[in-house]
């Protein structure tokens, strides 16, 4: 039972310790201790649960980098994109960063265990990596000068907002 929900009271003449429970309780369990029936979370959390899929991506016998290969793939792709961007290939570097995030979304979706790539729930990780990666790729494709992707209604929308 949770130590936060039980106050121990001094022992009586027989050495029996009385317990005072602060939560709602039901009948005692098999050992005679009161058990909690409330589904409310405790006031203070002592630890956090590992996210779904947050287990090792390789066996425990493998070295640490091999156990975290999905995270290393994403970080390596983003680092390569930053390096290419720093070497004056702006559009290609930014595309690599977006593709790295999209790869993270795909890995999180496809693999049962992705190690430290799992930060939140599976749905939240996939949507976050996917949306950020897609936005970065689209912005890289539409970057000036000479964009590789032109969306006609965006130019009209921008023109109408600037002239008013």
């Amino acid at each position: 039972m949770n130590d936060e929900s039980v106050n121990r009271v001094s022992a009586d003449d027989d050495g029996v310790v009385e317990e005072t429970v602060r939560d709602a309780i039901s009948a005692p369990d098999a050992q005679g201790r009161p058990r909690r029936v409330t589904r409310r979370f405790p006031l203070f959390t002592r630890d956090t649960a590992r996210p779904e899929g947050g287990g090792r991506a390789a066996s425990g016998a493998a070295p640490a980098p091999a156990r975290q290969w999905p995270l290393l793939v994403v970080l390596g792709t983003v680092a390569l994109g930053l390096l290419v961007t720093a070497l004056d290939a702006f559009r290609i570097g930014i595309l690599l960063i977006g593709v790295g995030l999209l790869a993270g979304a795909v890995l999180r979706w496809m693999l049962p265990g992705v190690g430290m790539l799992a930060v939140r729930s599976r749905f939240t990780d996939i949507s976050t990596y996917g949306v950020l990666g897609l936005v970065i790729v689209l912005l890289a494709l539409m970057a000036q000068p000479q964009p590789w992707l032109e969306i006609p209604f965006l130019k009209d929308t921008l023109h109408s907002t600037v002239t008013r």
Side-chain angles (χ1 to χ4, degrees), residues 62-129:
R67 290 192 305 258
Q68 298 298 330
W69 71 267
L71 179 67
L72 292 176
V73 167
V74 173
L75 287 178
T77 307
V78 170
L80 180 64
L82 289 172
L83 178 67
V84 170
T85 302
L87 296 175
D88 279 344
F90 167 76
R91 194 178 314 265
I92 301 298
I94 299 300
L95 280 172
L96 276 172
I97 293 171
V99 167
L101 289 173
L102 289 173
V106 170
L107 287 171
R108 186 71 170 100
W109 177 47
M110 301 282 289
L111 299 176
V114 289
M116 290 173 41
L117 188 62
V119 179
R120 298 158 293 267
S121 70
R122 186 177 301 270
F123 174 78
T124 305
D125 283 343
I126 292 170
S127 57
T128 303
Y129 294 142

Side-chain angles (χ1 to χ4, degrees), residues 28-49:
D29 62 5
Q31 286 77 29
R33 294 178 302 216
R35 54 183 178 143
R36 295 181 69 217
V37 293
T38 180
R39 292 184 53 104
R40 291 184 182 168
F41 291 108
L43 186 59
F44 298 105
T45 336
R46 298 289 182 218
D47 59 354
T48 56

